[in-house]
Amino acid sequence: MNEDSILRVEGLSTQFSTDHGLVKAVDGVSFELRRGETLGIVGESGSGKSVTNLSVLRLIQSPPGIIASGSVLFQGKDLLAASEEEVRVLRGRNISMIFQDPLTSLNPVLKVSTQIAEAIQLHHGLGRKEAKAKAVAMMKLIGIPDAERRADDYPHQFSGGMRQRVMIAMALSCDPDVLIADEPTTALDVTIQAQILELIKSMSARNKTSVILITHDLGVVAGMCDTVCVMYAGRIVERAPVDDLFEKPAHPYTQGLLDSIPRADRSGPERLYSIPGSPPNLIDMPDACPFAPRCARVMDICTKAAPPETALDEEGKRTVRCWLHSMESTNE
Amino acid sequence: MNDTEYLLDVRGLKVHFPIEKGILLKRRAGYVRAVDGVDFRIRPGEALGLVGESGCGKSTTAMAVAQLQTPTAGQVLLDGRDLAALSPQELRAARKDFQIVFQDPYSSLDPRQKAADIIAEPLRIFAKRGIITMDDAEIQSTALSLMDRCGLSASFATRYPHEFSGGQRQRIGIARALALGPRLVIADEPVSALDVSIQSQILNLLKDLQKDFNLTFLFIAHDLAVIEYFCTKIAVMYLGRIVETADSATIASNPMHPYTKALLSAAPLPDPAKERSRRRIILKGDVPSPSVEHRGCPFRERCPEAMDVCALSAPVLKPVGEGHEVSCFLYGEG
């Protein structure tokens, strides 16, 4: 197994100041992405999964946002301490990103080949003609039928699935080391989602690209990822290799999520489990476990202090933030 | 009343939208065949799930059943009475029996009304028209008890929609749909906009309400797993037609139409070992445009099992087992 890490995020906190108070959208997040690995970041809306990755690329709009603390080490270099110019060079070339909604992330008045070629021209210093040829080659590779002709089409002439392919072509055109995919298939139908996930999988295997896949869908995680981080209220509450997470989830939230998914592959219980209540408001969060008000196994201590990150194995591959486990390890 | 076996009986439902070209001299350039000949029946107390991808016509079917979209052809029999043939006054009175829960809990609630008023509004309107007899106090207490039944505390009665979370808003929408005591509830993607942990709360609430009020559901969703959990019967739609229908367990264990198989196989499962071992059917291409008239089977271009005969004529739904119908040439000639 290849152990060298390509991206290491430590103690990342991103905050937004609003009229109602300070929102700690990301609160002390740490994770590591190894070369060739696909890391899943899963959570519900507002859990901070997108903000985490926008912070990694320094794409947080400021004000109102501010990266309050932490470091993002890409091949040993701290992106949060780097100059804007240095980060700009890395973006697109070394780390690139695809977004949920391909229609709003593409420029409606530029031909798709021009948009793909733009990044190639910029990062590889190629001329317009060569860049366009490379863009068309990329479109072919990504499975856009009739690529030569479609190169001169505009985004609105493409279907949702094809637009997402264009986004992927653009993101992969400079052979990045890291691809961040933020809900890449959420806006797509299932049969198209299957096509796009397959494409991301084969492209990342081909180029040994490391992938951070942000999603709310545990099914997508199960099929795509090697390692998973579960986020809740701006924190990573559990991190585990994919099989372990689904086999024996350690955090009550992970357990609750898994139990509340209706499953087509087996006849489930008459009644689904459901986690009571709704996610907390992130404004002025108290120093306590954010999941405590909804947790079926809540204890006194949970409302008094936030649980620390506890390692569940020796290599530190599995960690959880829950007093149930911190208690066990201190008692032993 | 009528001694029909089915509460809802939809026959030959078609909704075609004309495409017009030109600015001054408009001419008809064709039709979008959103719903193109759909038949289904629902027994009292049953839940039928319509499943399919965007553009397959499932929502248009729901809107045509609810008479919010005038059908181009076909009948919508609710308890034996054709809704499409009613006069506007009759239809208004009949709406008491069928109500709708919408997908988006944000845009389907009036932002300037308080929660209790939103739920009471249908009662007020029907009382004013003399269709039901209720005074203001009764209406208010009905609204409050519905809130309670849908898991909203009475202290929320005077709050506005923006003060609620998505899940709570959907509860308001459900309470409003139940206010008039409908027999049929048409739920158009009621949980698609919600997070996983909230989705199961709402599905369970709908199940409880179905039992308590003996409701019949026409349930629209794109997620097969959600449909299988909630519905007793499933109809799979593709390009404006039903391609397969059976009870939920049969669809899950013995799907027959290649499209149903592909849908099932494309849905990601929260199980890494299964995900690694399963062989996924990946369909080629996109859903074709419903404005193009299709010769032959509409699924033919994407079908992994297409044959010559599929290009010649369109298959029709034919029984292949107990309550199981498939429209595909693989199972006999059309």
Side-chain angles (χ1 to χ4, degrees):
Chain A
M1 201 171 181
N2 200 346
E3 281 297 324
D4 58 340
S5 92
I6 185 152
L7 187 76
R8 196 189 181 92
V9 173
E10 253 170 287
L12 181 72
S13 292
T14 304
Q15 305 172 344
F16 294 88
S17 49
T18 69
D19 293 344
H20 305 284
L22 192 65
V23 174
K24 290 184 180 167
V26 174
D27 194 8
V29 159
S30 308
F31 62 85
E32 183 183 45
L33 178 69
R34 292 191 305 268
R35 214 172 275 278
E37 177 186 45
T38 298
L39 173 80
I41 297 187
V42 65
E44 298 182 278
S45 3
S47 60
K49 50 195 195 303
S50 292
V51 175
T52 300
N53 287 282
L54 290 173
S55 308
V56 165
L57 282 175
R58 293 242 314 251
L59 290 173
I60 297 292
Q61 194 178 5
S62 173
I66 175 171
I67 300 175
S69 62
S71 61
V72 175
L73 297 170
F74 173 74
Q75 295 178 328
K77 183 180 181 69
D78 188 356
L79 298 188
L80 299 186
S83 72
E84 182 55 40
E85 190 48 44
E86 287 173 301
V87 179
R88 197 175 11 234
V89 172
L90 287 175
R91 257 187 237 139
R93 181 179 198 144
N94 298 93
I95 308 178
S96 60
M97 192 154 182
I98 49 183
F99 298 92
Q100 172 173 349
D101 184 355
L103 188 55
T104 53
S105 353
L106 289 170
N107 187 335
V109 298
L110 287 183
K111 292 173 183 168
V112 296
S113 60
T114 315
Q115 299 189 53
I116 301 172
E118 197 178 5
I120 303 172
Q121 258 176 290
L122 202 68
H123 290 295
H124 289 309
L126 289 180
R128 257 172 64 185
K129 271 212 174 117
E130 291 123 303
K132 184 174 174 188
K134 189 156 188 238
V136 173
M138 205 63 210
M139 285 172 71
K140 270 189 195 154
L141 189 65
I142 232 81
I144 295 174
D146 207 1
E148 279 94 354
R149 195 177 55 79
R150 303 229 57 186
D152 291 333
D153 281 353
Y154 293 90
H156 76 269
Q157 293 168 292
F158 285 76
S159 67
M162 283 299 152
R163 274 183 216 134
Q164 199 56 289
R165 283 179 196 261
V166 171
M167 286 294 295
I168 295 172
M170 206 185 282
L172 296 181
S173 60
C174 296
D175 278 328
D177 303 289
V178 177
L179 173 69
I180 299 179
D182 190 350
E183 302 265 15
T185 57
T186 308
L188 306 176
D189 278 316
V190 266
T191 60
I192 309 297
Q193 163 167 289
Q195 295 173 356
I196 297 296
L197 292 178
E198 199 54 42
L199 178 66
I200 294 179
K201 214 183 221 174
S202 64
M203 291 304 287
S204 62
R206 182 174 171 272
N207 302 339
K208 300 201 170 44
T209 313
S210 313
V211 179
I212 298 180
L213 180 70
I214 303 169
T215 177
H216 67 282
D217 188 332
L218 281 161
V220 170
V221 166
M224 296 284 292
C225 303
D226 305 307
T227 311
V228 190
C229 295
V230 181
M231 285 194 78
Y232 187 79
R235 301 163 204 201
I236 292 178
V237 294
E238 179 163 5
R239 175 176 47 208
V242 70
D243 291 289
D244 295 349
L245 188 91
F246 285 86
E247 237 165 70
K248 28 183 194 315
H251 198 284
Y253 175 63
T254 317
Q255 177 77 59
L257 271 189
L258 285 172
D259 291 344
S260 39
I261 311 173
R263 307 239 336 217
D265 57 324
R266 58 171 191 219
S267 48
E270 235 333 87
R271 215 182 148 72
L272 281 176
Y273 176 77
S274 64
I275 304 174
S278 37
N281 186 339
L282 295 176
I283 295 172
D284 303 321
M285 288 270 289
D287 181 30
C289 172
F291 188 59
R294 305 176 73 190
C295 185
R297 304 175 67 184
V298 64
M299 303 172 293
D300 271 353
I301 187 168
C302 305
T303 56
K304 292 189 182 114
E309 186 168 70
T310 313
L312 296 178
D313 61 0
E314 276 166 20
E315 305 110 88
K317 278 189 188 160
R318 286 211 72 173
T319 60
V320 63
R321 268 178 199 272
C322 176
W323 283 115
L324 286 168
H325 298 277
S326 324
M327 300 304 244
E328 275 165 30
S329 53
T330 43
N331 289 347
E332 271 160 19
Chain B
M1 282 214 74
N2 230 310
D3 60 343
T4 40
E5 189 186 351
Y6 299 103
L7 179 68
L8 182 69
D9 188 347
V10 173
R11 296 180 187 172
L13 187 70
K14 286 189 183 179
V15 182
H16 291 181
F17 299 100
I19 308 168
E20 284 171 344
K21 278 216 172 127
I23 299 164
L24 282 175
L25 294 163
K26 284 200 178 140
R27 63 193 167 82
R28 198 137 297 166
Y31 289 95
V32 172
R33 297 171 176 78
V35 181
D36 205 14
V38 160
D39 301 81
F40 59 84
R41 287 168 291 277
I42 315 178
R43 288 197 172 84
E46 244 183 17
L48 172 79
L50 271 187
V51 67
E53 298 181 281
S54 15
C56 75
K58 54 190 193 301
S59 285
T60 311
T61 303
M63 293 306 114
V65 168
Q67 301 301 314
L68 292 179
Q69 172 66 54
T70 315
T72 313
Q75 291 178 300
V76 178
L77 304 172
L78 185 71
D79 218 351
R81 206 151 65 121
D82 187 2
L83 296 179
L86 296 182
S87 71
Q89 286 84 353
E90 288 171 321
L91 180 62
R92 217 174 279 149
R95 286 197 183 278
K96 193 167 76 60
D97 289 328
F98 58 100
Q99 291 284 305
I100 311 168
V101 177
F102 295 94
Q103 168 173 3
D104 184 355
Y106 293 82
S107 59
S108 59
L109 301 180
D110 180 352
R112 285 185 258 191
Q113 282 198 59
K114 293 171 186 153
D117 292 334
I118 291 175
I119 298 166
E121 193 178 24
L123 294 169
R124 292 212 175 98
I125 292 170
F126 276 71
K128 205 168 146 195
R129 294 215 179 107
I131 300 166
I132 55 171
T133 37
M134 260 185 161
D135 60 32
D136 277 356
E138 277 175 292
I139 289 174
Q140 186 66 16
S141 73
T142 310
L144 289 179
S145 78
L146 276 167
M147 280 187 79
D148 179 56
R149 188 61 201 80
C150 292
L152 294 163
S153 112
S155 64
F156 292 167
T158 53
R159 291 198 190 172
Y160 291 92
H162 75 267
E163 296 175 82
F164 292 96
S165 67
Q168 287 169 326
R169 276 181 233 210
Q170 199 55 296
R171 288 174 194 271
I172 298 175
I174 293 168
R176 175 179 61 185
L178 295 183
L180 290 165
R183 303 176 62 195
L184 174 71
V185 174
I186 299 160
D188 187 7
E189 302 264 15
V191 297
S192 323
L194 306 174
D195 273 319
V196 191
S197 77
I198 310 299
Q199 177 175 304
S200 67
Q201 292 177 4
I202 298 297
L203 284 174
N204 284 338
L205 172 67
L206 288 172
K207 267 204 162 178
D208 293 344
L209 295 170
Q210 182 184 19
K211 222 177 274 165
D212 295 357
F213 297 100
N214 190 30
L215 297 172
T216 307
F217 272 92
L218 174 60
F219 193 99
I220 319 288
H222 66 278
D223 186 337
L224 250 177
V226 165
I227 289 260
E228 273 182 26
Y229 173 66
F230 191 79
C231 301
T232 33
K233 287 192 80 178
I234 297 179
V236 182
M237 281 190 79
Y238 189 79
L239 223 59
R241 296 172 204 188
I242 292 176
V243 297
E244 181 164 7
T245 175
D247 57 68
S248 303
T250 309
I251 292 279
S253 61
N254 183 27
M256 292 181 83
H257 197 283
Y259 180 63
T260 314
K261 287 183 189 170
L263 263 190
L264 273 168
S265 123
L269 300 174
D271 184 332
K274 272 195 188 161
E275 280 285 315
R276 272 192 294 269
S277 63
R278 75 202 291 219
R279 268 186 51 105
R280 189 158 265 157
I281 307 167
I282 302 224
L283 290 180
K284 293 167 287 181
D286 291 304
V287 181
S289 158
S291 61
V292 181
E293 194 154 6
H294 293 275
R295 263 196 71 193
C297 174
F299 185 56
R300 162 173 59 99
E301 287 144 43
R302 301 178 78 198
C303 182
E305 298 180 65
M307 306 173 290
D308 290 343
V309 58
C310 306
L312 299 176
S313 60
V316 291
L317 273 178
K318 288 204 313 185
V320 288
E322 181 65 35
H324 191 172
E325 291 184 301
V326 183
S327 137
C328 179
F329 288 123
L330 286 171
Y331 309 100
E333 297 298 309

